[in-house]
C-alpha cells in the first residue's frame, strides 16, 4: 500500500530523516511535517527523538489503512461505483470561495486497492482535485489516507482531568477514608496528519490514582464522586505529607478529510498536577454530652 501525500507535502520532502513537528497551533497539535514515503510502501508511525526534539518517522512500525476513498461532487446521481461524476452548481453554494462540496466514498481495501464496493460515508468542502489526482472522480487510483497511531494520539494536547480530593482542605486523617474523584469531559480537536486535515474525538474512559504512599489504584472506569457518594477512596496508614496524582486515560476516533470516523488503536494518558495532602493521626477523648 502506498500513501499518497498532497503535492505540498511531497514538495517538502528531502533526503534528511523525515520529521513531524510537535508544534501546537490554535490549541491542537500540528503534525504537518516533511514526509517521504517509506520504501516499504506502508504508513510510518513516529516516536520521540531526544536528538532533535522533534518526532522521527519510524518506517518499521507501521499499520495499513483498511480503506481507500474517492471524492465526487455532491450532486444527486454521482456514484463512485461507475456512475456519473458531474459537477453541479449546488456544490459551490455551501462551501467557501474556491472550494467545492464533495461526497466521500469509502471502500474496503487490500494492499491499498479497493476490494469491495464504495459506500457514501460523508461530505467535505475542499479545493477541486487536479486532473488524475488520487481520489478524484477521474483518477485510476483511489486515495489512501494516513492512519493515526497511538503515538500520534498521545501527542495531542488532551486536557488533564481535574482531580477532586476531600476533605477539600487537604488535611486528612490516618485510618479514615480520603475521598477522590475525577472530572473529565470528551473533547474534539482539529489537527494535521502528514498534511491531511484530521478531526479527533477523545473520550475519557478510565482513571488511575497514585496516592503518594506507594498505593496506586486503577486504571478504573469509575471516576468517583463528591461526598457523600464515596466510590473511590484511600486510607493512609501513617501520618505525613503526600501528593495525590490523577492520570486520565482517553480512547479516540479520527476522521481524515471529512471521511468516516475510525478508532485510534490504544489509549492516550494525561497526568494532572499533584494534589498535596497532609495526613494527621487523630486521638479520641471523652467529652461531655453536647446535647445536655
Amino acid at each position: 500500500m502506498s500513501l499518497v501525500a498532497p503535492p505540498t507535502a511531497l514538495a517538502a520532502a528531502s533526503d534528511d530523516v523525515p520529521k513531524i513537528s510537535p508544534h501546537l497551533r490554535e490549541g491542537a497539535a500540528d503534525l504537518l511535517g516533511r514526509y517521504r514515503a517509506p520504501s516499504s510502501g506502508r504508513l510510518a508511525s513516529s516516536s520521540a527523538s531526544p536528538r532533535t526534539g522533534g518526532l522521527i518517522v519510524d518506517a518499521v512500525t507501521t499499520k495499513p489503512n483498511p480503506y481507500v476513498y474517492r471524492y465526487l461532487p455532491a450532486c444527486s446521481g454521482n456514484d463512485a461505483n461507475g456512475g456519473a461524476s458531474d459537477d453541479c452548481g449546488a456544490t459551490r453554494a455551501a462551501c467557501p470561495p474556491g472550494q467545492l462540496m464533495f461526497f466521500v466514498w469509502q471502500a474496503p481495501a487490500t494492499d491499498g486497492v479497493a476490494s469491495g464496493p464504495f459506500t457514501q460515508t460523508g461530505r467535505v468542502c475542499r479545493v477541486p482535485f487536479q486532473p488524475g489526482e488520487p481520489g478524484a472522480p477521474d483518477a485510476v487510483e483511489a486515495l489512501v489516507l494516513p492512519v493515526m497511531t497511538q503515538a500520534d494520539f498521545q501527542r495531542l494536547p488532551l486536557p488533564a482531568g481535574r482531580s477532586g480530593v476531600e476533605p477539600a482542605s487537604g488535611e486528612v486523617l490516618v485510618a479514615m477514608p480520603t475521598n477522590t474523584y475525577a472530572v473529565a469531559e470528551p473533547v474534539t480537536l482539529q489537527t494535521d496528519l502528514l498534511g491531511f486535515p484530521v478531526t479527533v474525538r477523545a473520550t475519557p474512559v478510565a482513571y488511575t490514582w497514585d496516592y503518594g504512599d506507594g498505593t496506586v489504584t486503577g486504571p478504573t472506569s469509575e471516576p468517583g464522586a463528591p461526598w457523600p457518594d464515596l466510590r473511590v477512596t484511600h486510607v493512609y496508614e501513617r501520618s505525613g505529607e503526600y501528593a495525590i496524582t490523577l492520570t486520565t486515560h482517553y480512547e479516540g476516533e479520527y476522521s481524515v478529510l471529512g471521511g468516516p470516523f475510525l478508532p485510534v488503536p490504544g489509549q492516550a494518558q494525561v497526568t494532572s498536577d499533584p494534589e498535596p495532602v497532609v495526613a494527621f493521626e487523630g486521638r479520641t477523648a471523652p467529652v461531655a454530652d453536647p446535647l445536655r
Side-chain angles (χ1 to χ4, degrees), residues 136-201:
D138 62 343
V140 176
E141 182 181 0
L143 181 63
V144 181
L145 299 180
V147 171
M148 173 162 280
T149 67
Q150 182 181 10
D152 297 327
F153 188 38
Q154 181 66 60
R155 287 193 299 271
L156 293 175
L158 299 172
R162 181 174 65 84
S163 53
V165 177
E166 294 175 328
S169 64
E171 297 179 347
V172 304
L173 291 177
V174 171
M176 295 293 290
T178 297
N179 186 44
T180 54
Y181 60 93
V183 179
E185 300 292 338
V187 63
T188 298
L189 299 175
Q190 304 295 328
T191 186
D192 293 332
L193 184 60
L194 299 178
F196 293 91
V198 178
T199 299
V200 180
R201 298 193 297 218

